[in-house]
Coordinates of all heavy atoms in Angstrom, one line a residue:
M437 N 23.3 -48.2 -88.5 CA 23.7 -49.5 -88.2 C 22.5 -50.3 -87.6 O 21.7 -49.8 -86.8 CB 24.8 -49.5 -87.0 CG 25.2 -50.8 -86.6 SD 26.6 -50.6 -85.4 CE 26.0 -51.7 -84.1
N438 N 22.4 -51.5 -88.2 CA 21.3 -52.3 -87.8 C 21.6 -53.0 -86.4 O 22.6 -53.5 -86.2 CB 20.9 -53.4 -88.8 CG 20.3 -52.8 -90.1 OD1 19.6 -51.8 -89.9 ND2 20.5 -53.4 -91.1
P439 N 20.6 -53.1 -85.5 CA 20.8 -53.7 -84.2 C 21.3 -55.2 -84.4 O 20.8 -55.8 -85.2 CB 19.5 -53.6 -83.5 CG 18.8 -52.5 -84.2 CD 19.3 -52.6 -85.6
R440 N 22.1 -55.5 -83.4 CA 22.6 -56.9 -83.3 C 22.2 -57.5 -81.9 O 22.6 -56.9 -80.9 CB 24.1 -57.0 -83.5 CG 24.7 -58.5 -83.4 CD 26.2 -58.5 -83.7 NE 26.6 -59.8 -84.0 CZ 27.0 -60.7 -83.1 NH1 27.1 -60.4 -81.9 NH2 27.4 -61.9 -83.6
L441 N 21.6 -58.6 -81.9 CA 21.2 -59.2 -80.7 C 21.9 -60.5 -80.5 O 22.1 -61.2 -81.4 CB 19.6 -59.6 -80.6 CG 19.1 -60.0 -79.3 CD1 18.8 -58.8 -78.4 CD2 17.8 -60.8 -79.5
E442 N 22.5 -60.7 -79.3 CA 23.2 -62.0 -79.0 C 22.5 -62.7 -77.9 O 22.1 -62.0 -76.8 CB 24.6 -61.6 -78.6 CG 25.5 -61.1 -79.5 CD 26.9 -60.8 -79.0 OE1 27.2 -61.2 -77.8 OE2 27.7 -60.2 -79.7
I443 N 22.2 -63.9 -78.1 CA 21.7 -64.8 -76.9 C 22.8 -65.8 -76.6 O 23.1 -66.6 -77.4 CB 20.4 -65.5 -77.4 CG1 19.3 -64.4 -77.8 CG2 19.9 -66.4 -76.3 CD1 18.1 -65.1 -78.4
N444 N 23.3 -65.6 -75.4 CA 24.4 -66.4 -75.0 C 23.8 -67.5 -74.0 O 23.1 -67.2 -73.0 CB 25.4 -65.6 -74.1 CG 26.7 -66.4 -73.8 OD1 27.0 -66.3 -72.6 ND2 27.2 -67.2 -74.6
Y445 N 23.8 -68.8 -74.4 CA 23.1 -69.8 -73.8 C 24.1 -70.9 -73.3 O 25.1 -71.1 -73.9 CB 22.0 -70.4 -74.7 CG 22.6 -71.2 -75.9 CD1 22.9 -72.6 -75.8 CD2 23.0 -70.5 -77.0 CE1 23.4 -73.2 -77.0 CE2 23.6 -71.1 -78.1 CZ 23.8 -72.5 -78.1 OH 24.4 -73.2 -79.1
C446 N 23.7 -71.7 -72.3 CA 24.5 -72.8 -71.9 C 24.3 -74.1 -72.6 O 23.1 -74.6 -72.7 CB 24.1 -73.0 -70.3 SG 25.1 -74.3 -69.5
T447 N 25.4 -74.6 -73.1 CA 25.3 -75.9 -73.9 C 25.2 -77.0 -72.9 O 24.6 -78.1 -73.2 CB 26.5 -76.0 -74.8 OG1 27.7 -75.9 -74.0 CG2 26.6 -75.0 -75.9
Q448 N 25.8 -76.9 -71.7 CA 25.8 -78.0 -70.8 C 24.3 -78.2 -70.3 O 23.9 -79.3 -70.0 CB 26.6 -77.6 -69.5 CG 28.1 -77.6 -69.8 CD 28.9 -76.9 -68.7 OE1 28.5 -75.9 -68.1 NE2 30.1 -77.5 -68.4
C449 N 23.6 -77.2 -70.2 CA 22.1 -77.2 -69.8 C 21.2 -77.6 -70.9 O 20.0 -77.7 -70.7 CB 21.8 -75.9 -69.2 SG 22.8 -75.3 -67.7
R450 N 21.7 -77.6 -72.1 CA 20.9 -78.0 -73.3 C 19.9 -76.9 -73.5 O 18.7 -77.2 -73.8 CB 20.2 -79.3 -73.1 CG 21.1 -80.4 -72.8 CD 21.6 -81.1 -74.1 NE 22.4 -82.3 -73.8 CZ 23.5 -82.5 -74.4 NH1 24.0 -81.7 -75.2 NH2 24.2 -83.6 -74.1
W451 N 20.2 -75.6 -73.5 CA 19.3 -74.5 -73.7 C 19.3 -74.0 -75.1 O 18.7 -72.9 -75.3 CB 19.6 -73.4 -72.7 CG 19.3 -73.8 -71.3 CD1 18.4 -74.8 -70.9 CD2 19.7 -73.2 -70.0 NE1 18.3 -74.8 -69.6 CE2 19.0 -73.9 -69.0 CE3 20.6 -72.2 -69.8 CZ2 19.3 -73.6 -67.7 CZ3 20.8 -71.8 -68.5 CH2 20.2 -72.5 -67.4
L452 N 19.9 -74.7 -76.1 CA 19.9 -74.2 -77.4 C 18.4 -74.0 -78.0 O 18.2 -73.1 -78.6 CB 20.7 -75.3 -78.3 CG 20.6 -75.0 -79.9 CD1 21.1 -73.6 -80.2 CD2 21.3 -76.0 -80.6
L453 N 17.6 -75.0 -77.8 CA 16.2 -74.9 -78.3 C 15.5 -73.6 -77.7 O 14.8 -72.9 -78.4 CB 15.4 -76.2 -78.0 CG 15.7 -77.3 -78.9 CD1 14.9 -78.6 -78.4 CD2 15.6 -77.1 -80.3
R454 N 15.7 -73.3 -76.4 CA 15.1 -72.2 -75.9 C 15.7 -70.9 -76.5 O 15.0 -70.0 -76.8 CB 15.4 -72.2 -74.4 CG 14.7 -71.0 -73.6 CD 15.1 -71.0 -72.2 NE 14.7 -72.2 -71.4 CZ 13.5 -72.2 -70.8 NH1 12.7 -71.2 -70.6 NH2 13.2 -73.4 -70.1
A455 N 17.0 -70.9 -76.7 CA 17.7 -69.8 -77.4 C 17.2 -69.6 -78.8 O 16.9 -68.4 -79.2 CB 19.2 -69.9 -77.2
A456 N 17.1 -70.6 -79.5 CA 16.6 -70.6 -80.9 C 15.2 -70.2 -81.0 O 14.8 -69.3 -81.9 CB 16.8 -71.9 -81.6
W457 N 14.3 -70.6 -80.1 CA 13.0 -70.2 -80.1 C 12.8 -68.7 -79.8 O 12.1 -68.0 -80.5 CB 12.1 -71.0 -79.1 CG 10.7 -70.4 -78.9 CD1 9.7 -70.7 -79.8 CD2 10.2 -69.6 -77.9 NE1 8.6 -70.0 -79.3 CE2 8.9 -69.3 -78.2 CE3 10.8 -69.1 -76.7 CZ2 8.1 -68.6 -77.3 CZ3 10.0 -68.3 -75.9 CH2 8.7 -68.1 -76.1
M458 N 13.6 -68.2 -78.9 CA 13.6 -66.7 -78.5 C 14.1 -66.0 -79.7 O 13.5 -64.9 -80.1 CB 14.4 -66.5 -77.3 CG 14.3 -65.3 -76.6 SD 12.6 -65.0 -75.9 CE 12.7 -66.0 -74.5
A459 N 15.2 -66.5 -80.4 CA 15.7 -65.7 -81.6 C 14.6 -65.6 -82.7 O 14.4 -64.6 -83.3 CB 16.9 -66.5 -82.1
Q460 N 13.9 -66.8 -82.9 CA 12.7 -66.8 -83.9 C 11.7 -65.8 -83.5 O 11.2 -65.0 -84.4 CB 12.2 -68.2 -83.9 CG 11.0 -68.2 -84.9 CD 10.4 -69.6 -84.9 OE1 11.0 -70.7 -84.5 NE2 9.0 -69.8 -85.1
E461 N 11.4 -65.7 -82.2 CA 10.3 -64.7 -81.8 C 10.8 -63.3 -82.1 O 10.0 -62.5 -82.5 CB 10.1 -64.8 -80.3 CG 9.3 -66.1 -79.9 CD 7.8 -65.9 -80.3 OE1 7.2 -64.9 -80.0 OE2 7.3 -66.9 -80.9
I462 N 12.1 -63.0 -81.8 CA 12.6 -61.6 -82.0 C 12.6 -61.3 -83.5 O 12.2 -60.3 -83.9 CB 14.0 -61.5 -81.3 CG1 13.9 -61.8 -79.8 CG2 14.6 -60.1 -81.7 CD1 12.9 -60.9 -79.1
L463 N 13.1 -62.2 -84.3 CA 13.2 -62.0 -85.7 C 11.9 -61.9 -86.4 O 11.7 -61.0 -87.3 CB 14.0 -63.1 -86.4 CG 15.6 -63.2 -86.1 CD1 16.1 -64.4 -86.7 CD2 16.2 -61.9 -86.8
T464 N 10.9 -62.5 -85.9 CA 9.5 -62.4 -86.4 C 8.9 -61.1 -86.0 O 8.3 -60.5 -86.8 CB 8.6 -63.6 -85.9 OG1 9.2 -64.8 -86.3 CG2 7.2 -63.5 -86.4
T465 N 9.2 -60.7 -84.8 CA 8.6 -59.4 -84.3 C 9.3 -58.2 -84.9 O 8.6 -57.2 -85.3 CB 8.7 -59.3 -82.8 OG1 7.9 -60.4 -82.2 CG2 8.0 -58.0 -82.2
F466 N 10.6 -58.2 -85.1 CA 11.4 -57.1 -85.6 C 12.0 -57.4 -86.9 O 13.1 -57.3 -87.1 CB 12.5 -56.8 -84.5 CG 11.9 -56.4 -83.2 CD1 11.9 -57.3 -82.2 CD2 11.4 -55.1 -82.9 CE1 11.3 -57.0 -80.9 CE2 10.9 -54.8 -81.7 CZ 10.9 -55.7 -80.7
E467 N 11.2 -57.8 -87.9 CA 11.6 -58.1 -89.2 C 12.4 -57.1 -89.9 O 13.4 -57.4 -90.5 CB 10.4 -58.5 -90.1 CG 9.7 -59.8 -89.7 CD 8.4 -60.0 -90.5 OE1 7.8 -58.9 -91.0 OE2 8.1 -61.1 -90.8
T468 N 11.9 -55.8 -89.8 CA 12.7 -54.7 -90.5 C 13.6 -54.0 -89.7 O 14.5 -53.3 -90.2 CB 11.6 -53.8 -91.2 OG1 10.8 -53.3 -90.2 CG2 10.8 -54.5 -92.2
E469 N 13.5 -54.1 -88.3 CA 14.3 -53.3 -87.4 C 15.6 -54.0 -87.0 O 16.6 -53.4 -86.7 CB 13.5 -52.9 -86.1 CG 12.3 -52.1 -86.4 CD 11.1 -52.8 -86.6 OE1 11.1 -54.1 -86.7 OE2 10.0 -52.2 -86.8
M470 N 15.6 -55.4 -86.9 CA 16.7 -56.1 -86.4 C 17.7 -56.5 -87.6 O 17.3 -56.9 -88.6 CB 16.2 -57.4 -85.7 CG 17.2 -58.2 -85.0 SD 18.0 -57.3 -83.6 CE 16.6 -57.0 -82.6
G471 N 19.0 -56.2 -87.3 CA 20.0 -56.5 -88.3 C 20.5 -57.9 -88.2 O 20.8 -58.6 -89.2
E472 N 20.6 -58.5 -87.0 CA 21.2 -59.8 -86.8 C 20.9 -60.3 -85.4 O 20.7 -59.6 -84.5 CB 22.7 -59.7 -86.9 CG 23.5 -61.0 -86.7 CD 25.0 -60.7 -86.7 OE1 25.4 -59.5 -87.0 OE2 25.7 -61.6 -86.6
V473 N 20.6 -61.6 -85.4 CA 20.5 -62.3 -84.1 C 21.5 -63.4 -84.1 O 21.6 -64.3 -85.0 CB 19.1 -62.8 -83.8 CG1 19.0 -63.7 -82.6 CG2 18.1 -61.7 -83.7
A474 N 22.3 -63.5 -83.1 CA 23.4 -64.5 -82.9 C 23.1 -65.4 -81.8 O 22.8 -64.9 -80.7 CB 24.8 -63.9 -82.9
L475 N 23.3 -66.6 -81.9 CA 23.3 -67.6 -80.8 C 24.7 -67.9 -80.5 O 25.5 -68.4 -81.3 CB 22.5 -68.9 -81.2 CG 21.0 -68.7 -81.7 CD1 20.5 -70.1 -82.1 CD2 20.2 -68.1 -80.6
V476 N 25.1 -67.6 -79.2 CA 26.4 -67.8 -78.7 C 26.5 -68.9 -77.7 O 26.0 -68.7 -76.5 CB 26.9 -66.4 -78.1 CG1 28.4 -66.5 -77.7 CG2 26.7 -65.3 -79.2
P477 N 27.1 -70.0 -78.0 CA 27.2 -71.1 -77.0 C 28.1 -70.7 -75.8 O 29.1 -70.0 -76.0 CB 27.7 -72.3 -77.8 CG 28.2 -71.8 -79.1 CD 27.7 -70.3 -79.2
G478 N 27.7 -71.2 -74.6 CA 28.5 -70.9 -73.5 C 28.3 -72.0 -72.5 O 27.7 -73.1 -72.8
T479 N 28.8 -71.9 -71.3 CA 28.7 -72.9 -70.2 C 28.3 -72.2 -68.8 O 28.2 -71.0 -68.8 CB 30.0 -73.7 -70.1 OG1 31.0 -72.7 -69.8 CG2 30.4 -74.4 -71.3
G480 N 28.1 -73.0 -67.9 CA 27.9 -72.5 -66.5 C 26.5 -72.0 -66.3 O 26.4 -71.1 -65.4
G481 N 25.5 -72.4 -67.0 CA 24.2 -72.0 -66.7 C 23.9 -70.6 -67.2 O 22.9 -70.0 -66.8
V482 N 24.6 -70.1 -68.2 CA 24.4 -68.8 -68.7 C 23.2 -68.7 -69.7 O 22.9 -69.6 -70.5 CB 25.7 -68.3 -69.5 CG1 26.0 -69.1 -70.7 CG2 25.6 -66.8 -69.8
F483 N 22.5 -67.7 -69.6 CA 21.4 -67.3 -70.6 C 21.3 -65.8 -70.5 O 20.5 -65.3 -69.7 CB 20.0 -68.0 -70.3 CG 19.1 -68.0 -71.5 CD1 19.1 -69.0 -72.4 CD2 18.3 -66.8 -71.7 CE1 18.3 -69.0 -73.4 CE2 17.5 -66.8 -72.8 CZ 17.5 -67.9 -73.7
D484 N 22.2 -65.1 -71.2 CA 22.2 -63.7 -71.3 C 21.8 -63.2 -72.7 O 22.1 -63.8 -73.7 CB 23.6 -63.2 -71.0 CG 24.1 -63.4 -69.5 OD1 23.3 -63.6 -68.7 OD2 25.4 -63.3 -69.3
V485 N 21.2 -62.0 -72.6 CA 20.8 -61.4 -73.9 C 21.4 -60.1 -74.0 O 21.3 -59.2 -73.0 CB 19.2 -61.3 -74.0 CG1 18.8 -60.7 -75.3 CG2 18.6 -62.7 -73.8
R486 N 22.1 -59.8 -75.1 CA 22.8 -58.5 -75.2 C 22.3 -57.9 -76.5 O 22.1 -58.5 -77.6 CB 24.3 -58.7 -75.4 CG 24.9 -59.0 -74.0 CD 26.4 -59.0 -74.2 NE 27.1 -59.1 -72.8 CZ 27.1 -60.2 -72.1 NH1 26.5 -61.4 -72.5 NH2 27.7 -60.2 -70.9
L487 N 22.0 -56.6 -76.5 CA 21.6 -55.8 -77.7 C 22.8 -54.8 -77.9 O 23.0 -53.9 -77.1 CB 20.3 -55.1 -77.4 CG 19.8 -54.3 -78.6 CD1 19.5 -55.2 -79.8 CD2 18.5 -53.6 -78.2
N488 N 23.4 -54.9 -79.1 CA 24.6 -54.0 -79.5 C 25.6 -54.0 -78.3 O 26.1 -52.9 -78.0 CB 24.0 -52.6 -79.8 CG 23.2 -52.6 -81.1 OD1 23.4 -53.4 -81.9 ND2 22.3 -51.7 -81.1
G489 N 25.8 -55.1 -77.7 CA 26.8 -55.2 -76.6 C 26.3 -54.9 -75.3 O 27.0 -55.3 -74.3
E490 N 25.2 -54.3 -75.1 CA 24.6 -54.0 -73.8 C 23.7 -55.2 -73.3 O 22.9 -55.7 -73.9 CB 23.7 -52.8 -73.9 CG 23.0 -52.4 -72.7 CD 21.8 -51.5 -72.9 OE1 21.6 -51.0 -73.9 OE2 21.2 -51.2 -71.8
L491 N 24.1 -55.6 -72.0 CA 23.4 -56.7 -71.4 C 21.9 -56.2 -71.0 O 21.8 -55.2 -70.3 CB 24.0 -57.2 -70.1 CG 23.4 -58.3 -69.3 CD1 23.4 -59.5 -70.2 CD2 24.1 -58.5 -68.0
I492 N 20.9 -56.8 -71.6 CA 19.6 -56.4 -71.4 C 18.8 -57.3 -70.6 O 17.8 -57.0 -70.0 CB 18.8 -56.0 -72.6 CG1 18.6 -57.1 -73.6 CG2 19.5 -54.8 -73.3 CD1 17.6 -56.9 -74.7
Y493 N 19.3 -58.6 -70.5 CA 18.7 -59.6 -69.7 C 19.7 -60.7 -69.2 O 20.4 -61.2 -70.1 CB 17.5 -60.2 -70.4 CG 16.6 -61.0 -69.4 CD1 15.5 -60.4 -68.7 CD2 16.9 -62.3 -69.0 CE1 14.7 -61.0 -67.8 CE2 16.1 -63.0 -68.0 CZ 15.0 -62.3 -67.5 OH 14.3 -63.0 -66.5
S494 N 19.7 -61.0 -67.9 CA 20.6 -62.1 -67.4 C 19.7 -63.1 -66.6 O 19.1 -62.6 -65.7 CB 21.7 -61.5 -66.6 OG 22.3 -62.6 -65.9
R495 N 19.7 -64.3 -66.9 CA 18.9 -65.4 -66.2 C 19.4 -65.3 -64.8 O 18.6 -65.5 -63.8 CB 19.0 -66.7 -66.9 CG 18.1 -67.8 -66.2 CD 18.5 -69.2 -66.7 NE 19.9 -69.5 -66.2 CZ 20.1 -70.0 -64.9 NH1 19.1 -70.1 -64.1 NH2 21.3 -70.3 -64.6
K496 N 20.8 -65.3 -64.6 CA 21.3 -65.5 -63.3 C 20.9 -64.2 -62.4 O 20.5 -64.4 -61.3 CB 22.8 -65.6 -63.3 CG 23.2 -66.9 -63.7 CD 24.8 -67.0 -63.5 CE 25.2 -68.4 -63.9 NZ 26.6 -68.7 -63.9
E497 N 20.9 -63.0 -63.0 CA 20.5 -61.8 -62.2 C 19.0 -61.9 -61.9 O 18.6 -61.5 -60.8 CB 20.9 -60.6 -63.0 CG 22.4 -60.3 -63.0 CD 22.6 -59.0 -63.8 OE1 21.7 -58.2 -64.1 OE2 23.8 -58.8 -64.1
A498 N 18.2 -62.3 -62.9 CA 16.8 -62.3 -62.7 C 16.3 -63.5 -61.9 O 15.2 -63.4 -61.3 CB 16.1 -62.3 -64.1
G499 N 17.0 -64.5 -61.9 CA 16.6 -65.8 -61.2 C 15.6 -66.6 -61.9 O 15.0 -67.5 -61.5
R500 N 15.5 -66.3 -63.3 CA 14.5 -67.0 -64.1 C 14.8 -66.6 -65.6 O 15.5 -65.8 -65.9 CB 13.1 -66.6 -63.8 CG 12.8 -65.1 -64.1 CD 11.3 -64.8 -63.7 NE 11.1 -63.3 -63.9 CZ 11.0 -62.7 -65.0 NH1 11.0 -63.4 -66.1 NH2 10.8 -61.4 -65.0
F501 N 14.2 -67.4 -66.5 CA 14.3 -67.1 -67.9 C 13.4 -65.9 -68.3 O 12.4 -65.7 -67.6 CB 13.8 -68.3 -68.7 CG 14.9 -69.4 -68.8 CD1 14.8 -70.5 -68.0 CD2 16.0 -69.3 -69.6 CE1 15.7 -71.5 -67.9 CE2 17.0 -70.3 -69.6 CZ 16.8 -71.4 -68.8
P502 N 13.8 -65.2 -69.3 CA 12.9 -64.1 -69.7 C 11.6 -64.7 -70.4 O 11.7 -65.7 -71.0 CB 13.7 -63.3 -70.8 CG 14.7 -64.3 -71.4 CD 15.0 -65.3 -70.2
E503 N 10.6 -63.9 -70.3 CA 9.4 -64.3 -71.1 C 9.6 -63.6 -72.4 O 10.1 -62.5 -72.5 CB 8.1 -63.8 -70.3 CG 8.0 -64.4 -69.0 CD 6.6 -64.8 -68.7 OE1 5.8 -64.8 -69.6 OE2 6.4 -65.1 -67.5
A504 N 9.0 -64.2 -73.4 CA 9.2 -63.5 -74.8 C 8.6 -62.1 -74.8 O 9.2 -61.2 -75.3 CB 8.4 -64.4 -75.9
K505 N 7.4 -61.9 -74.1 CA 6.8 -60.6 -74.1 C 7.7 -59.6 -73.5 O 7.9 -58.5 -74.0 CB 5.5 -60.8 -73.2 CG 4.9 -59.5 -73.0 CD 3.6 -59.7 -72.1 CE 3.0 -58.4 -71.7 NZ 1.7 -58.6 -71.0
E506 N 8.4 -59.9 -72.3 CA 9.2 -58.9 -71.7 C 10.5 -58.6 -72.5 O 11.0 -57.5 -72.6 CB 9.5 -59.2 -70.3 CG 10.4 -60.4 -70.0 CD 10.7 -60.7 -68.6 OE1 11.0 -59.9 -67.8 OE2 10.5 -61.9 -68.3
L507 N 11.0 -59.6 -73.2 CA 12.2 -59.5 -74.0 C 11.8 -58.6 -75.2 O 12.7 -57.7 -75.5 CB 12.7 -60.8 -74.4 CG 14.2 -60.8 -74.8 CD1 15.2 -60.2 -73.8 CD2 14.7 -62.2 -75.1
K508 N 10.7 -58.8 -75.8 CA 10.4 -58.0 -76.9 C 10.1 -56.5 -76.5 O 10.5 -55.6 -77.2 CB 9.0 -58.5 -77.5 CG 9.1 -59.8 -78.2 CD 7.8 -60.2 -78.7 CE 7.8 -61.6 -79.4 NZ 6.5 -62.0 -79.8
Q509 N 9.6 -56.3 -75.3 CA 9.4 -55.0 -74.8 C 10.8 -54.2 -74.5 O 11.0 -53.1 -74.9 CB 8.6 -55.0 -73.5 CG 7.2 -55.3 -73.7 CD 6.4 -55.6 -72.5 OE1 6.9 -55.6 -71.3 NE2 5.1 -55.7 -72.6
L510 N 11.7 -55.0 -73.9 CA 13.0 -54.5 -73.7 C 13.8 -54.1 -75.0 O 14.3 -53.0 -75.1 CB 13.9 -55.5 -72.9 CG 13.6 -55.8 -71.5 CD1 14.3 -56.9 -71.0 CD2 14.0 -54.5 -70.7
I511 N 13.6 -54.9 -76.0 CA 14.2 -54.6 -77.3 C 13.5 -53.4 -78.0 O 14.1 -52.5 -78.4 CB 14.2 -55.9 -78.2 CG1 15.1 -56.9 -77.6 CG2 14.6 -55.6 -79.6 CD1 14.9 -58.3 -78.1
R512 N 12.2 -53.5 -78.0 CA 11.5 -52.4 -78.7 C 11.7 -51.1 -78.1 O 11.9 -50.1 -78.7 CB 9.9 -52.7 -78.5 CG 9.0 -51.8 -79.2 CD 8.5 -50.6 -78.3 NE 8.0 -51.0 -77.0 CZ 6.8 -51.3 -76.7 NH1 5.8 -51.3 -77.6 NH2 6.5 -51.6 -75.5
D513 N 11.8 -51.0 -76.7 CA 12.1 -49.8 -76.0 C 13.4 -49.1 -76.5 O 13.6 -48.0 -76.5 CB 12.0 -49.9 -74.5 CG 10.6 -50.2 -74.0 OD1 9.6 -50.1 -74.8 OD2 10.5 -50.6 -72.8
R514 N 14.3 -50.0 -76.9 CA 15.7 -49.5 -77.3 C 15.8 -49.2 -78.8 O 16.6 -48.3 -79.2 CB 16.8 -50.5 -76.9 CG 17.0 -50.4 -75.4 CD 17.7 -51.7 -74.9 NE 18.1 -51.6 -73.5 CZ 17.3 -51.9 -72.5 NH1 16.1 -52.2 -72.8 NH2 17.7 -51.7 -71.3
I515 N 15.2 -50.0 -79.6 CA 15.4 -49.8 -81.1 C 14.2 -49.3 -81.9 O 14.4 -48.8 -82.9 CB 15.8 -51.2 -81.8 CG1 14.8 -52.3 -81.8 CG2 17.1 -51.7 -81.1 CD1 15.1 -53.4 -82.6
A516 N 13.0 -49.4 -81.4 CA 11.8 -49.0 -82.0 C 10.7 -48.5 -81.1 O 9.7 -49.2 -81.0 CB 11.3 -50.1 -83.0
P517 N 11.0 -47.5 -80.3 CA 10.1 -47.1 -79.2 C 8.5 -46.9 -79.6 O 7.7 -47.1 -78.8 CB 10.6 -45.9 -78.6 CG 11.9 -45.7 -79.2 CD 12.1 -46.6 -80.3
D518 N 8.3 -46.6 -80.8 CA 6.9 -46.3 -81.3 C 6.3 -47.6 -81.9 O 5.1 -47.5 -82.3 CB 6.9 -45.2 -82.3 CG 7.5 -43.9 -81.8 OD1 7.2 -43.6 -80.6 OD2 8.0 -43.1 -82.5
K519 N 7.0 -48.7 -82.0 CA 6.5 -49.9 -82.6 C 5.4 -50.5 -81.7 O 5.8 -50.9 -80.5 CB 7.6 -50.9 -82.9 CG 7.1 -52.1 -83.5 CD 8.2 -53.1 -83.9 CE 7.8 -54.3 -84.5 NZ 7.4 -54.1 -85.9
P520 N 4.2 -50.7 -82.1 CA 3.2 -51.4 -81.3 C 3.5 -53.0 -81.3 O 4.0 -53.5 -82.3 CB 1.9 -51.2 -82.0 CG 2.2 -50.8 -83.4 CD 3.6 -50.3 -83.4
L521 N 3.4 -53.6 -80.2 CA 3.6 -55.1 -80.1 C 2.4 -55.9 -80.0 O 2.5 -57.1 -79.7 CB 4.6 -55.3 -78.9 CG 6.0 -54.8 -79.0 CD1 6.7 -55.0 -77.7 CD2 6.7 -55.3 -80.2
G522 N 1.2 -55.3 -80.3 CA 0.0 -56.0 -80.2 C -0.2 -56.6 -78.8 O -0.1 -55.9 -77.8
H523 N -0.5 -57.9 -78.8 CA -0.8 -58.6 -77.5 C 0.4 -58.6 -76.6 O 0.2 -58.9 -75.4 CB -1.4 -60.0 -77.8 CG -0.3 -61.0 -78.3 ND1 0.0 -61.0 -79.6 CD2 0.4 -61.9 -77.6 CE1 0.9 -61.9 -79.7 NE2 1.3 -62.5 -78.6
S524 N 1.6 -58.4 -77.1 CA 2.8 -58.3 -76.2 C 3.1 -57.1 -75.6 O 4.0 -56.9 -74.8 CB 4.0 -58.8 -77.0 OG 4.0 -60.2 -77.4
D525 N 2.2 -56.0 -75.9 CA 2.4 -54.7 -75.3 C 2.0 -54.7 -73.9 O 1.2 -55.5 -73.5 CB 1.6 -53.7 -76.1 CG 2.5 -52.7 -76.8 OD1 3.7 -52.5 -76.4 OD2 2.1 -52.2 -77.9
R526 N 2.7 -53.8 -73.2 CA 2.3 -53.6 -71.7 C 0.9 -53.1 -71.6 O 0.4 -52.3 -72.5 CB 3.2 -52.5 -71.2 CG 4.6 -52.9 -71.0 CD 5.3 -51.8 -70.3 NE 6.7 -52.0 -70.3 CZ 7.6 -51.7 -71.2 NH1 7.3 -51.0 -72.2 NH2 8.9 -52.0 -71.0
K527 N 0.2 -53.5 -70.6 CA -1.1 -53.0 -70.2 C -1.0 -51.7 -69.4 O -0.2 -51.7 -68.5 CB -1.9 -54.0 -69.5 CG -2.2 -55.3 -70.2 CD -3.1 -55.1 -71.5 CE -3.3 -56.5 -72.1 NZ -3.6 -56.3 -73.5
E528 N -1.7 -50.6 -69.8 CA -1.6 -49.4 -69.1 C -2.4 -49.6 -67.8 O -3.4 -50.2 -67.8 CB -2.2 -48.3 -70.0 CG -1.4 -48.0 -71.2 CD 0.0 -47.6 -71.0 OE1 0.3 -46.8 -70.0 OE2 0.9 -48.0 -71.6
P529 N -1.8 -48.9 -66.7 CA -2.6 -49.0 -65.5 C -3.9 -48.3 -65.6 O -4.0 -47.3 -66.3 CB -1.7 -48.3 -64.5 CG -0.4 -48.0 -65.2 CD -0.6 -48.3 -66.6
V530 N -4.9 -48.8 -64.9 CA -6.2 -48.2 -65.0 C -6.4 -47.2 -63.9 O -5.9 -47.3 -62.9 CB -7.3 -49.3 -64.8 CG1 -8.7 -48.8 -64.8 CG2 -7.1 -50.3 -65.8

């Protein structure tokens, strides 16, 4: 089964462009690994990201929007742990 990512965004807050940009980043990074990215309109300041139904990021819980780099890392760790992310990869501690 190919992974399905959902980005639930607030229409009242006009966060569609942010959600669409994030979807583009994910689809570009995970061209062969990702099965689907869905944009799910919501209300009440929501910006949640779910992978195969599992909540992997919540703007309300984190108190901020996700950075593309961290979202890519969260997704990679679940669907393609060996995939290098180039400049978006974590820096190893020295």
Side-chain angles (χ1 to χ4, degrees):
M437 179 178 133
N438 289 329
R440 181 176 198 270
L441 189 81
E442 294 179 8
I443 302 174
N444 186 225
Y445 67 95
C446 180
T447 57
Q448 295 168 316
C449 303
R450 307 265 187 231
W451 289 340
L452 173 58
L453 287 177
R454 183 184 299 263
W457 174 77
M458 198 63 75
Q460 177 184 333
E461 286 288 311
I462 299 309
L463 287 169
T464 301
T465 301
F466 300 99
E467 291 176 328
T468 59
E469 297 88 359
M470 189 62 60
E472 177 181 1
V473 174
L475 300 179
V476 183
T479 57
V482 68
F483 197 92
D484 290 344
V485 181
R486 287 183 171 77
L487 182 62
N488 295 329
E490 174 194 358
L491 182 65
I492 62 170
Y493 195 92
S494 168
R495 186 195 66 82
K496 283 187 179 179
E497 287 179 16
R500 62 180 175 79
F501 285 100
E503 301 221 11
K505 173 182 176 175
E506 72 183 308
L507 200 53
K508 289 177 185 181
Q509 290 170 353
L510 288 168
I511 294 166
R512 184 268 315 269
D513 291 350
R514 285 165 175 80
I515 69 169
D518 296 328
K519 182 179 181 71
L521 294 177
H523 70 277
S524 290
D525 248 331
R526 292 182 183 92
K527 299 293 182 204
E528 296 298 321
V530 179

